[in-house]
Amino acid sequence: MSLLGLLSAGILPGSVTAQVEELPHVVEPTIVWVAIGYFAIVTVIGAWATRRTRTAGDFFVAGKGIGLIALSLSVMSATLSGFAFIGGPGLVYSIGLGAMFIILPAALTNAMGAWVLAKRLRLMAEVRNTITLPDAIGARYRSPLAQGLAGVSILVAVIGYMATNILALGLVIDAVFGIGVGWGIWLGMGITMAYAVGGGIVAGIYTDVFQGSLMAVASVLVFLFTLQAGGGLSGISETILAADPGFLGPWGHLTPIAALSFFFVFGMGSLGQPHVVHKFYMLRDPRKLRWYPLVTTFALIVAMLLYFGVGVSVKALTVDGALAPLANPDNATPIFLLNYTPLILAALVFSGVAAAIMSTVNSFMNIGAAAMMHDIPVSLGKRIDNELLWGRICTVIISVAAALLAQYSGMLVAFLGVFGWGLFASTLVPALAIGLNWKGATRAGAIASIGTGLSITLVFETFAFFELYSFPVGVTVSGLSLVLSILMFFGVSWVTRETAADTLDPDIRVVMEA
Amino acid sequence: MSDEAQSPQPAKPAGPDMHRWALGLIVASAIAIGLAYASAFLPGGTPGWAPWLFMIGTSVIMVATMAVGAARGGSIGRLWIPFSMVLVIVMGGFGLVLALPPADPGDPELWLGLPPRAAVIMYGIGFLPFFLVPVAYAWTFDDLTLGEGDLERVRDEALRARGEMPK
């Protein structure tokens, strides 16, 4: 299903992780050698990280020993998937400014995450040695059930997210090496899994630093080329306005409600993305959080320049007749790179796309393994003895399952990718983000909100995907499930308010009052 | 909004309890967003007031959530200044965009290379808060987020709360 198909079905937000359609082949010696060099560097980092990973704490939270720059760049890398470089510019090309509402809240979200979650999670890791987000939910509400439900939600969404990202990685590797999508899936997954199994999140963090730097540099350079090709931003705007004024209207070709819905889901929903907020546990010195929003937001804005620049520039070039209209919007970036940038830059961007996808996949491997090996057993009253070994085994199981899904499930993989973001947002934002900041929240409220998010997302995304029922234009399942889970959280907590005191351990109260 | 009946509590703020207010605003704005979504199900399509309700709801819920996270002992201190400014920028920006007429394709006026309404979205809502909220976070970090010695204090208080002796 194309991005436009998903959009018209009202289910796009969850699909923004990856494209599922084939990319044009760009097999050129320069691109191939840059990609080989990139994979070699990632492998070396993975080998180095493996030597540093000795405990479950190293494997899942980097031994709480990373610095500010590593945190910021790894958050930026994990936030951006291949969508930022391929699907996103294609979406801007298709629907104009409306597509910018997905990334528009970026100036707010990192500071919001810092105020709402970073300090609390880092302090909770200090007093309770929590290593996962469901751990924090379990500790906050003194509830193994809430921890288990959160773990199940994460595992379901992770496998879907991973499958779509691994498919996207296979498509990119096939485009670069011309080895076929099937081999691309297993090569990409194999490399990512190798460093994720050996070096756990330590490997993930430091490959993210490399990958994030690559993405930021490539994005700035490509943005400059887009301005040059389109005759500056004014030239681009004048060309587009003459042919399609709605494209540069404030909502693009979306309705106001649809565009604002993106802003809401991707703004508030950012607080529930486990592959991002989980990294708050890892900062060596919590006082370095002071500069985290500034550094991360700057890096994110820089890395997003390509998203906007390629989308509007390719639109202007097609309006001008310099390029033929695109049959598949996902081709906007590859076609622009091959026609308007030096080959070495195109090579860097293709490696950057692979980098973005691999860093996201790696984060998912880690949190998925933690949910499987730690959160779900703990919720059932069992604790696994050798968490490092089982963490590695679970990483392999999840990775192989996701790769098999990516290769053999056909359209199911697009469906699985649809609900990831929304499921994370609706199940984790109320119970985790608000719950860690409100002592009036209750266990029943948390469980009700997680259950609401899980059930609404799964039921209505399934209905929409199989065209049994779709919401009216502008209403997204992810937006509606997020708002309903928030209301359910407050409503049930209010009804059960007498139990609020019982769900709060004294040391957790100290963390919440800090 | 029901709050907790716990002790010991940090000192109550001299002014209004911003934490409680912010929680109330989150609920109110979630209801506003829910109503805007619900209006799309009405026969005849989304009414004209729905985007206004949605933009107020989504602007307020994000700023209120920041305030809930930032509040210490019910107070957000001088953070009321950047939070108010962000609310004005985001809500005012969306309001401006809804109120301004579309660009004239024949004679387009451009602000920094974009039509005025697009410029408000991109530079105003998308970019301007970058100079406010991350800077405000850094600016108030020591006294409103995590001061020198806070980490040790929290660690010790948590141990005492569990009935253990601090090291």
Side-chain angles (χ1 to χ4, degrees):
Chain A
M1 182 178 280
S2 68
L3 282 168
L4 279 178
L6 293 167
L7 185 73
S8 62
I11 52 177
L12 182 126
S15 75
V16 297
T17 53
Q19 71 285 344
V20 293
E21 292 184 2
E22 222 166 292
L23 296 168
H25 280 202
V26 292
V27 186
E28 292 272 355
T30 309
I31 295 178
V32 169
W33 281 112
V34 169
I36 289 173
Y38 160 74
F39 286 132
I41 291 172
V42 165
T43 306
V44 168
I45 295 171
W48 168 81
T50 302
R51 291 219 310 268
R52 280 190 51 172
T53 302
R54 297 188 185 91
T55 66
D58 294 336
F59 192 82
F60 290 113
V61 290
K64 287 185 276 182
I66 68 171
L68 172 71
I69 299 297
L71 174 71
S72 296
L73 285 175
S74 68
V75 164
M76 186 267 271
S77 301
T79 303
L80 302 178
S81 60
F83 177 78
F85 283 1
I86 301 284
L91 194 61
V92 174
Y93 168 82
S94 303
I95 64 168
L97 214 61
M100 294 305 293
F101 281 75
I102 291 171
I103 58 172
L104 207 60
L108 296 170
T109 50
N110 291 297
M112 185 163 72
W115 269 309
V116 173
L117 283 171
K119 179 179 79 172
R120 311 258 179 248
L121 286 175
R122 185 59 186 81
L123 292 179
M124 198 172 265
E126 206 62 44
V127 304
R128 281 287 181 101
N129 271 325
T130 44
I131 59 170
T132 66
L133 295 184
D135 252 352
I137 290 176
R140 162 63 185 86
Y141 300 102
R142 217 155 58 190
S143 170
L145 177 59
Q147 178 169 358
L149 266 178
V152 168
S153 303
I154 286 176
L155 195 57
V156 169
V158 154
I159 290 184
Y161 245 140
M162 274 183 62
T164 46
N165 273 285
I166 287 173
L167 175 59
L169 189 55
L171 290 164
V172 172
I173 290 175
D174 174 45
V176 172
F177 293 105
I179 58 174
V181 176
W183 283 106
I185 286 173
W186 288 97
L187 179 64
M189 193 279 289
I191 293 170
T192 315
M193 192 179 74
Y195 71 75
V197 167
I201 203 69
V202 178
I205 293 288
Y206 290 102
T207 50
D208 281 356
V209 170
F210 166 63
Q211 289 162 342
S213 310
L214 184 68
M215 287 152 65
V217 170
S219 176
V220 172
L221 292 175
V222 172
F223 182 67
L224 296 175
F225 278 100
T226 63
L227 294 181
Q228 188 189 42
L233 192 51
S234 297
I236 290 171
S237 292
E238 283 163 7
T239 306
I240 295 172
L241 281 170
D244 185 0
F247 184 93
L248 287 178
W251 324 107
H253 292 310
L254 294 179
T255 63
I257 290 276
L260 289 165
S261 189
F262 277 179
F263 190 83
F264 168 61
V265 170
F266 289 94
M268 282 300 284
S270 67
L271 294 173
Q273 300 309 306
H275 53 300
V276 174
V277 297
H278 172 236
K279 293 187 165 66
F280 293 144
Y281 282 140
M282 302 171 197
L283 190 62
R284 183 171 47 242
D285 177 4
R287 284 187 34 84
K288 288 283 193 294
L289 280 172
R290 171 197 285 264
W291 302 111
Y292 161 79
L294 205 58
V295 176
T296 310
T297 308
F298 178 74
L300 206 51
I301 287 175
V302 164
M304 290 291 194
L305 289 173
L306 185 150
Y307 179 108
F308 173 71
V310 168
V312 293
S313 182
V314 171
K315 175 71 179 178
L317 291 166
T318 54
V319 166
D320 230 8
L323 285 176
L326 306 184
N328 174 8
D330 286 351
N331 290 345
T333 301
I335 285 177
F336 180 83
L337 291 173
L338 293 176
N339 286 287
Y340 293 95
T341 67
L343 203 53
I344 186 74
L345 180 56
L348 276 178
V349 175
F350 278 108
S351 294
V353 173
I357 299 170
M358 288 168 75
S359 62
T360 305
V361 168
N362 169 263
S363 294
F364 285 136
M365 284 175 175
N366 195 266
I367 58 168
M372 193 172 172
M373 171 286 304
H374 180 80
D375 297 312
I376 294 173
V378 164
S379 73
L380 298 172
K382 300 186 190 321
R383 211 167 250 285
I384 294 197
D385 284 337
N386 191 341
E387 289 196 323
L388 177 58
L389 174 66
W390 280 100
R392 286 175 163 152
I393 291 170
C394 290
T395 304
V396 174
I397 293 170
I398 288 172
S399 305
V400 172
L404 288 171
L405 267 177
Q407 189 169 13
Y408 295 114
S409 68
M411 285 308 291
L412 180 64
V413 74
F415 169 63
L416 291 171
V418 159
F419 56 74
W421 181 281
L423 189 58
F424 285 144
S426 58
T427 55
L428 295 179
V429 169
L432 183 73
I434 301 173
L436 282 182
N437 291 280
W438 179 39
K439 286 177 282 180
T442 67
R443 185 180 301 150
I447 291 169
S449 78
I450 295 172
T452 301
L454 192 58
S455 53
I456 290 180
T457 305
L458 291 181
V459 169
F460 286 101
E461 293 289 19
T462 306
F463 282 3
F465 187 81
F466 292 104
E467 297 180 1
L468 298 171
Y469 174 76
S470 286
F471 289 142
V473 174
V475 181
T476 56
V477 176
S478 45
L480 198 62
S481 64
L482 175 56
V483 83
L484 289 178
S485 70
I486 291 172
L487 291 172
M488 184 64 79
F489 177 71
F490 279 105
V492 174
S493 291
W494 186 78
V495 169
T496 57
R497 58 194 179 279
E498 284 81 15
T499 65
D502 301 334
T503 62
L504 198 52
D505 279 333
D507 56 339
I508 301 299
R509 184 204 309 271
V510 169
V511 168
M512 290 177 67
E513 288 174 354
Chain B
M1 184 53 51
S2 151
D3 217 324
E4 51 289 343
Q6 313 282 322
S7 63
Q9 290 278 3
K12 286 286 173 197
D17 185 340
M18 291 309 294
H19 186 261
R20 186 177 291 248
W21 269 95
L23 284 168
L25 285 173
I26 291 175
V27 175
S29 43
I31 291 171
I33 293 167
L35 285 174
Y37 274 138
S39 75
F41 292 85
L42 292 172
T46 312
W49 50 263
W52 288 88
L53 196 60
F54 203 119
M55 76 86 175
I56 292 169
T58 195
S59 310
V60 171
I61 201 168
M62 290 181 68
V63 176
T65 303
M66 282 193 261
V68 162
R72 280 183 122 179
S75 167
I76 57 170
R78 58 189 188 279
L79 280 171
W80 73 269
I81 302 169
F83 287 168
S84 306
M85 288 169 77
V86 169
L87 190 62
V88 167
I89 288 169
V90 177
M91 205 156 67
F94 282 136
L96 200 61
V97 159
L98 282 166
L100 278 175
D104 175 8
D107 181 22
E109 181 190 355
L110 299 179
W111 296 357
L112 296 174
L114 289 171
R117 296 197 299 169
V120 170
I121 294 283
M122 294 290 293
Y123 303 130
I125 298 168
F127 200 52
L128 211 50
F130 170 67
F131 298 101
L132 276 174
V133 271
V135 173
Y137 184 82
W139 176 48
T140 60
F141 188 82
D142 278 339
D143 45 335
L144 291 175
T145 303
L146 199 64
E148 193 81 52
D150 274 357
L151 184 62
E152 284 297 315
R153 181 183 58 76
V154 168
R155 214 182 275 146
D156 290 350
E157 282 182 20
L159 283 171
R160 277 194 206 97
R162 289 205 299 255
E164 299 168 28
M165 285 303 290
K167 290 168 191 160

